[in-house]
């Protein structure tokens, strides 16, 4: 079945959490003979379209990989420009977030961000705190291994203090120590630009996610590209380790990967 448009989507099977790796800004700019930062600037339009599309269709959580721990190794000019862009974008988009009742959150080593970026981000997070239609999570100075080590340290400390018992440590104890605690696992991960890697992104959380890769470069990504990814997701059979026959025989709905998350 070919995707014709949003109307082809099954409204009863919309993923509650979609994670995105926004890739290809640099290549988009290079193809046009422009500096890399123009790719990032044009990527903001794709961010807006994706946020709108996700909210419109009923996605509850959207996580965007905006800056990885490894991105600090890029030329200083590009890092500075990206930080400025993040400040400007959070500032200029705040009215839209409020109007659409979108709550902003951030995960990652936020202490490593420049003060102005951190402060602006915090202002937007505080202002949108009570919004409830969708949560937009920016992964900033984020890497999954950083997050996992941080969680392990926290758990080790709790074991040392006697607040946790190593013998009875459970998945939910670990999930509660991750920065995504309280957020269901993504059912779908989209990566643009043709690269087919996870690149240190939500390694624990993506355990059961469907992966969708598209050749579209991030600055060209539009609402219909997002809906097409959802359509593709809806054609997949999510088995969670079971056989296809078992699934079809079941009358109960398939358990959601998010049931592995925080229960408290
Ligand atoms: C990857 O493309 C993209 C980034 C590292 C940054 C993404 C940032 C934005 C789209 C800016 C706005 C963000 C928000 C949340 C307002 P790349 O530079 O790795 O591209 P390449 O692989 O073609 O070089």
């Amino acid at each position: 079945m070919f995707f014709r448009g949003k109307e082809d989507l099954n409204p009863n099977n919309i993923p509650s959490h979609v994670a995105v790796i926004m890739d290809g800004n640099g290549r988009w700019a290079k193809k046009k003979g422009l500096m890399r930062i123009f790719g990032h600037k044009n990527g903001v339009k794709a961010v807006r379209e994706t946020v709108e599309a996700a909210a419109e269709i009923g996605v509850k959580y959207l996580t965007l990989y905006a800056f990885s721990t490894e991105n600090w190794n890029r030329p200083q000019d590009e890092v500075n420009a990206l930080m400025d862009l993040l400040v400007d974008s959070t500032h200029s988009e705040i009215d839209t977030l409020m109007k659409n009742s979108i709550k902003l959150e951030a995960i990652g080593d936020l202490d490593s961000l420049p003060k102005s970026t951190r402060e602006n981000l915090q202002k937007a997070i505080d202002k949108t705190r009570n919004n409830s239609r969708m949560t937009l999570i920016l992964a900033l100075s984020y890497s999954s291994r950083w997050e996992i080590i941080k969680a392990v340290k926290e758990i080790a400390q709790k074991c040392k203090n006697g607040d946790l018992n190593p013998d009875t440590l459970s998945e939910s104890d670990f999930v509660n120590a991750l920065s995504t605690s309280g957020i269901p696992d993504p059912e779908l991960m989209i990566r643009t630009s043709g690269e087919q890697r996870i690149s240190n992104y939500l390694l624990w959380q993506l355990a059961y996610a469907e992966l969708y890769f598209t050749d579209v470069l991030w600055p060209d990504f539009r609402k219909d590209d997002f809906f097409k990814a959802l359509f593709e997701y809806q054609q997949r059979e999510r088995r969670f380790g079971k056989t296809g026959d078992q699934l079809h025989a079941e009358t109960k709905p398939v358990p959601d990967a998010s049931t592995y998350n925080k229960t408290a």
Side-chain angles (χ1 to χ4, degrees):
M1 193 171 160
F2 290 108
F3 172 72
R4 289 163 305 180
K6 188 184 160 192
E7 61 282 0
D8 282 343
L9 290 174
N10 172 1
N12 299 316
N13 186 18
I14 301 296
S16 64
H17 185 175
V18 180
V20 183
I21 300 183
M22 312 183 284
D23 197 9
N25 293 353
R27 275 164 285 165
W28 183 92
K30 198 170 171 199
K31 264 175 50 181
K32 293 188 155 28
L34 300 167
M35 283 166 64
R36 294 177 55 82
I37 187 60
F38 286 102
H40 299 314
K41 282 191 174 152
N42 281 278
V44 176
K45 168 126 176 88
V47 170
R48 199 174 300 131
E49 291 251 338
T50 304
V51 172
E52 275 176 23
E56 203 175 296
I57 206 74
V59 168
K60 295 307 283 179
Y61 299 90
L62 175 71
T63 303
L64 302 179
Y65 207 175
F67 195 85
S68 73
T69 311
E70 291 76 21
N71 286 154
W72 290 114
N73 299 323
R74 292 194 171 194
Q76 194 58 45
D77 281 359
E78 186 175 341
V79 171
N80 293 344
L82 264 169
M83 290 300 144
D84 288 346
L85 194 58
L86 280 163
V87 173
D88 292 350
S89 311
T90 36
H91 197 68
S92 63
E93 298 302 322
I94 191 123
D95 287 345
T96 316
L97 295 179
M98 291 309 290
K99 217 180 287 164
N100 293 291
S101 192
I102 295 167
K103 179 174 168 175
L104 186 70
E105 284 188 8
I107 55 170
D109 185 10
L110 306 181
D111 289 341
S112 66
L113 297 172
K115 196 163 171 267
S116 60
T117 313
R118 207 170 53 234
E119 284 177 356
N120 252 283
L121 190 68
Q122 195 55 53
K123 264 190 224 158
I125 290 172
D126 291 342
K127 189 155 185 199
T128 60
R129 175 151 287 153
N130 296 318
N131 292 347
S132 57
R133 186 177 179 195
M134 184 180 86
T135 303
L136 169 63
I137 303 144
L138 297 183
L140 277 171
S141 193
Y142 172 88
S143 84
S144 211
R145 289 184 177 179
W146 166 85
E147 179 187 38
I148 287 170
I149 293 293
K150 187 169 162 290
V152 168
K153 282 185 186 164
E154 193 183 306
I155 287 170
Q157 194 60 51
K158 283 189 175 164
C159 288
K160 205 168 137 192
N161 299 344
D163 297 328
L164 276 179
N165 177 355
D167 294 330
T168 58
L169 207 65
S170 64
E171 274 198 19
S172 66
D173 290 325
F174 188 74
V175 164
N176 288 344
L178 293 172
S179 38
T180 49
S181 165
I183 298 169
D185 287 342
E187 295 98 327
L188 171 66
M189 195 283 283
I190 301 172
R191 182 172 188 153
T192 58
S193 90
E195 305 295 344
Q196 303 197 359
R197 289 187 292 279
I198 298 186
S199 298
N200 215 348
Y201 187 44
L202 303 171
L203 297 180
W204 171 282
Q205 297 88 337
L206 292 177
Y208 288 98
E210 294 297 326
L211 307 180
Y212 175 83
F213 301 103
T214 170
D215 287 339
V216 175
L217 300 175
W218 181 252
D220 290 329
F221 196 79
R222 293 291 174 268
K223 280 186 178 185
D224 255 349
D225 296 303
F226 185 81
F227 294 139
K228 192 172 171 211
L230 260 56
F231 180 77
E232 175 74 30
Y233 163 83
Q234 293 188 340
Q235 312 310 307
R236 307 250 181 114
E237 184 175 75
R238 305 191 74 214
R239 285 193 277 182
F240 300 96
K242 296 187 177 176
T243 68
D245 288 347
Q246 274 178 309
L247 272 193
H248 298 306
E250 270 180 10
T251 45
K252 282 183 295 181
V254 181
D256 194 277
S258 63
T259 51
Y260 286 92
N261 262 290
K262 188 177 169 176
T263 46

